[in-house]
Amino acid sequence: MPPSRPSRMRVVALMNAGAGSQAPAQGTRAALDRSFAEHGVDAELRFLSGAELKAAARDALGLAKRGEIDAVVVGGGDGSVRTVAGVLADTGVPLGILPLGTLNHFAKDVGIAVDLKTAVETIAKGAVRVVDLAEVNGEIFINNSSIGIYPYLVIARERLRQRHRLAKWMAVVLAFFRMLRHFPWRHLKISIEGGAKPYRTPCVLVGNNEYAMELFALGRRKRLDRGELWLYVVQPRNPLQFFWTVCRLYFGKTNHTSDIDTFAAPEAEIAAQSSRLPVALDGEIEILHTPLCYRSRPGALRVIVPASA
């Protein structure tokens, strides 16, 4: 007879020790140990640096394939989730999430509470939901990818912090005003389903499924299982127009005709005059060769979410 499956759930929890809102590692470990034990989960906690996450995720995937654990858990923000999701893509191994980052967009969009105890309960008692991933030139992203203003701001912010030892918020403000003086236009050609269109734009955002543009729902996604990329191409011609577009967007008053061109497709290609571009992937910057080849990966990830989600 085959061995019976253990009655207790078994997981490896990969914790990013540098995650944005995480408490000191020792306190977090004790709280997690208690929470997992209370919910009948055998959890091996591994506190790691961001650079160690991918290798640790591959090791945990091996344990799951051998039947030694039932799921892989990641504790951190969207960047940490992206790293582990990229390893688990198309493997069928469920991913549990402990939202310990600053914004936790992906966790919120799939209905996971940012409260640590509730997130542990979700891992113990939740349901597995199949969701899409997206990729550009083979690099996975879970939320969105962007070209133009956002990568420019992040790079400028980090340079200011290194040179002048500024606080993060102060570096962001200075980087923003520098961006207004040196507005980062991009000459791009976007090809979708056989058609191509040229653009001169300060910003293109590619979403893993559709983002809401309405007041109170801005930046959220209702569905992550439609197998679609959504492209948002900003139209304003100067920094002032861009500022007013952001204001209208914030209050749900965006005019899609004059402010933003929007497309939905399973695949897209973005060509540029430069051979390489800085590209943001879930808030992290990568330098990628052009053209940028985007595609949706429908149903590539299994995520543990609340049973009621």
Side-chain angles (χ1 to χ4, degrees), residues 172-185:
V172 169
V173 171
L174 292 176
F176 177 79
F177 284 108
R178 177 172 291 183
M179 179 272 294
L180 292 179
R181 292 198 310 271
H182 307 285
F183 209 49
W185 294 109

Side-chain angles (χ1 to χ4, degrees), residues 213-232:
M213 292 291 180
E214 299 83 18
L215 184 63
F216 304 123
L218 180 66
R220 299 295 298 272
R221 291 167 293 174
K222 296 178 181 178
R223 299 287 297 270
L224 282 88
D225 57 0
R226 292 190 180 275
E228 296 175 334
L229 301 174
W230 278 72
L231 283 79
Y232 304 87

Side-chain angles (χ1 to χ4, degrees), residues 21-266:
S21 65
Q22 187 166 307
Q26 195 59 41
T28 303
R29 181 185 293 275
L32 286 173
D33 280 336
R34 287 194 301 271
S35 293
F36 278 120
E38 288 170 3
H39 290 97
V41 178
D42 291 330
E44 177 189 343
L45 304 182
R46 302 181 185 178
F47 284 82
L48 309 156
S49 69
E52 297 172 313
L53 271 180
K54 181 173 284 189
R58 288 172 176 160
D59 178 64
L61 174 60
L63 295 176
K65 287 182 174 180
R66 294 193 295 272
E68 297 178 31
I69 60 173
D70 304 302
V72 178
V73 174
V74 58
D78 288 316
S80 302
V81 175
R82 177 175 83 91
T83 297
V84 179
V87 173
L88 300 185
D90 293 317
T91 65
V93 176
L95 175 66
I97 299 174
L98 298 173
L100 296 172
T102 303
L103 298 174
N104 305 303
H105 290 300
F106 185 78
K108 292 174 182 176
D109 285 346
V110 296
I112 297 172
V114 297
D115 174 71
L116 190 60
K117 291 183 179 179
T118 306
V120 170
E121 183 178 4
T122 293
I123 292 167
K125 300 179 181 179
V128 174
R129 176 180 172 188
V130 177
V131 300
D132 304 335
L133 296 174
E135 69 173 43
V136 53
N137 292 10
E139 295 288 338
I140 289 288
F141 59 95
I142 55 175
N143 297 324
N144 59 68
S145 169
S146 65
I147 307 162
I149 284 175
Y150 184 76
Y152 179 97
L153 283 174
V154 172
I155 292 170
R157 179 196 71 195
E158 293 307 307
R159 285 176 178 170
L160 287 167
R161 292 183 71 189
Q162 290 175 7
R163 291 176 183 174
H164 306 291
R165 298 184 180 180
L166 299 175
K168 189 173 182 178
W169 69 267
M170 185 178 295
V172 169
V173 171
L174 292 176
F176 177 79
F177 284 108
R178 177 172 291 183
M179 179 272 294
L180 292 179
R181 292 198 310 271
H182 307 285
F183 209 49
W185 294 109
R186 292 289 182 190
H187 290 273
L188 306 172
K189 183 173 72 172
I190 300 178
S191 301
I192 296 175
E193 296 179 328
K197 185 175 180 179
Y199 284 95
R200 181 174 181 263
T201 175
C203 182
V204 177
L205 183 138
V206 182
N208 175 22
N209 288 283
E210 183 181 10
Y211 276 87
M213 292 291 180
E214 299 83 18
L215 184 63
F216 304 123
L218 180 66
R220 299 295 298 272
R221 291 167 293 174
K222 296 178 181 178
R223 299 287 297 270
L224 282 88
D225 57 0
R226 292 190 180 275
E228 296 175 334
L229 301 174
W230 278 72
L231 283 79
Y232 304 87
V233 186
V234 176
Q235 296 281 29
R237 302 298 180 187
N238 59 57
L240 182 60
Q241 287 181 344
F242 176 77
F243 175 78
W244 286 116
T245 294
V246 172
C247 292
R248 287 195 296 272
L249 186 64
Y250 183 79
F251 290 105
K253 302 295 184 181
T254 304
N255 184 330
H256 282 232
T257 302
S258 61
D259 294 334
I260 300 175
D261 268 5
T262 307
F263 310 95

